[in-house]
Amino acid sequence: MTSDGQAEGAVGKSRVGWRPDKLREVREAHGLTLERAGERLREVAERAGIIVPAANFQTLWQHEQGEVYPGPHYRRAYCLLYRATEPELGFRNPLPDEATHLKLTSSSEPRNGAHVLAVERALARITPGAEAADEHGVQQRIIDAWKRRHTGGDPHRPTLLIVGGYAGSGKSEFARFISQLTGWPVLDKDSITRPLVERLLVEMGNDPNDRHSELYRERVRPLEYQCLLETAYANVDCSISTVVTAPFVSEVMDVRWMRRLINRCEARGVSVATVWIQCDLETMHEYISFRSAARDSWKLQHWDEYARTIDPELRPIMPHMVVDNRLGAAISLTDQVRQVFGTVF
């Protein structure tokens, strides 16, 4: 495992579309020395809550010389520092139809056209993943909830937004972004259940970080999701819009499970919307490696075996939306929007 911001040289040099010289060109165009760029990078990262170890001139020099491919947190910080996207900074080739440039600037007026455009462009990453998916309605509810925080009033019903995806796909980061826009609380399965799950596994004579054995899958995992949903129902019963995030890999493929959830919410006047985070194996592996969570140890040590259980084309069986976060594209864009809003968030 490598530290955040560092990658094996051989791995880095094989990155498709990587042009280290672009990073140097952009820095010089901003009139920054390596030392000053490192200082600014740390400042930007701290404001955004991104961890970039060291960020000294030696590390930046390695990035610009192509000796080390920047890790995901470093790439996010670079994009914020230079107000650019990953393709613009030469980290990779753009995805088809990917927004590669954001010509927006911060403003003290929280409701001007640029801010609305920034939100709409980020939310455009939510696309229909099923014919009956109402992505425009969900996008509008999110925008209206954001506006309500400043102007008051919301014409829509409360919403339970389910954000699912494989480990390392970026679902937690995207859920937090939606929460920042709307003020809706986020319920994250790991945050809610981890201490209980670890203690339960130990009491059952198992590894507290086990997330792959039959014992975990059959006896512990169902309780995790029950705790998560009961917490969500407490908000639903109070008609509070809520963002719930967890892998939901099995649940979104179970028609009866989804129907029970929808029926209970509908009975209380709450709409259910499902968003699936699409991601590629390479990006998931990178995110999992850099977050260094103990519960991911088995996945990293047995990556090939774990990867065989992942279906990149998996989609929820019920109407849903899809956020394309391959190569971290969606998360990079939400970072840009956060910066545009500045103190609004």
Side-chain angles (χ1 to χ4, degrees):
M1 189 183 301
T2 57
S3 63
D4 184 36
Q6 303 299 317
E8 295 296 336
V11 174
K13 290 183 173 61
S14 68
R15 297 283 179 148
V16 176
W18 184 30
R19 293 184 52 198
D21 56 301
K22 289 288 293 181
L23 195 59
R24 176 181 54 78
E25 291 175 7
V26 173
R27 174 179 60 78
E28 292 178 347
H30 280 71
L32 297 174
T33 64
L34 282 169
E35 291 85 351
R36 181 55 181 155
E39 294 172 3
R40 293 281 303 280
L41 198 68
R42 290 192 295 273
E43 293 169 0
V44 166
E46 183 177 358
R47 287 198 300 269
I50 300 173
I51 299 175
V52 285
N56 52 38
F57 73 91
Q58 293 98 332
T59 299
L60 271 61
W61 185 85
Q62 289 178 312
H63 293 165
E64 293 183 4
Q65 294 299 311
E67 294 187 1
V68 174
Y69 184 73
H73 288 0
Y74 266 98
R75 297 200 302 274
R76 288 176 63 186
Y78 275 127
C79 288
L80 289 174
L81 173 61
Y82 297 127
R83 295 192 174 223
T85 62
E86 288 198 9
E88 284 184 288
L89 295 180
F91 293 137
R92 58 176 174 81
N93 293 325
L95 292 168
D97 301 321
E98 179 180 358
T100 57
H101 190 51
L102 219 69
K103 294 183 179 180
L104 295 171
T105 56
S106 296
S107 168
S108 58
E109 170 53 53
R111 294 186 295 278
N112 70 2
H115 285 77
V116 175
L117 178 61
V119 173
E120 289 178 344
R121 292 187 67 175
L123 295 181
R125 302 301 302 185
I126 303 177
T127 58
E131 290 185 4
D134 180 23
E135 81 280 7
H136 295 300
V138 172
Q139 291 171 5
Q140 193 59 51
R141 289 201 294 276
I142 292 171
I143 290 174
D144 286 344
W146 162 60
K147 290 180 179 178
R148 184 192 62 200
R149 301 183 73 186
H150 304 283
T151 63
D154 186 349
H156 294 289
R157 300 168 66 186
T159 300
L160 182 67
L161 188 67
I162 302 293
V163 180
Y166 288 105
S169 62
K171 57 185 179 296
S172 294
E173 192 66 35
F174 190 79
R176 285 193 290 269
F177 169 67
I178 296 299
S179 176
Q180 288 175 314
L181 285 182
T182 61
W184 299 348
V186 173
L187 301 180
D188 186 298
K189 178 181 72 67
D190 288 332
S191 299
I192 291 174
T193 66
R194 187 186 304 130
L196 181 63
V197 167
E198 292 177 353
R199 181 60 180 269
L200 181 59
L201 286 167
V202 169
E203 292 296 325
M204 297 171 73
N206 210 13
D207 181 350
N209 298 313
D210 170 26
R211 298 297 187 275
H212 63 278
S213 72
E214 183 176 351
L215 181 146
Y216 166 76
R217 291 194 303 268
E218 299 297 327
R219 300 178 62 184
V220 179
R221 187 182 183 279
L223 297 177
E224 278 190 287
Y225 280 83
Q226 182 179 347
C227 290
L228 178 64
L229 264 295
E230 289 299 327
T231 306
Y233 287 144
N235 282 0
V236 167
D237 290 343
C238 297
S239 297
I240 298 172
S241 290
T242 305
V243 183
V244 180
T245 181
F248 288 113
V249 175
S250 299
E251 287 71 19
V252 297
M253 298 303 294
D254 186 335
V255 175
R256 291 181 298 176
W257 189 92
M258 290 295 298
R259 180 50 59 191
R260 286 195 299 270
L261 171 67
I262 293 171
N263 288 345
R264 178 160 179 176
C265 291
E266 289 288 343
R268 288 159 177 77
V270 176
S271 299
V272 175
T274 302
V275 174
W276 184 258
I277 309 298
Q278 178 187 11
C279 200
D280 57 287
L281 280 169
E282 182 179 5
T283 300
M284 286 188 272
H285 183 271
E286 186 178 41
Y287 282 5
I288 291 173
S289 297
F290 286 127
R291 73 187 183 191
S292 300
R295 64 185 183 281
D296 294 325
S297 297
W298 184 89
K299 295 184 185 73
L300 293 173
Q301 294 169 7
H302 304 82
W303 182 253
D304 290 340
E305 180 182 346
Y306 171 67
R308 286 193 291 271
T309 69
I310 295 177
D311 177 8
E313 302 305 317
L314 179 72
R315 297 291 183 273
I317 199 167
M318 302 292 282
H320 62 279
M321 285 74 72
V322 173
V323 170
D324 187 350
N325 194 39
R326 289 174 297 171
L327 303 181
I331 299 306
S332 176
L333 187 56
T334 61
D335 280 339
Q336 296 283 323
V337 177
R338 285 185 173 110
Q339 187 180 56
V340 167
F341 276 84
T343 57
V344 174
F345 288 161

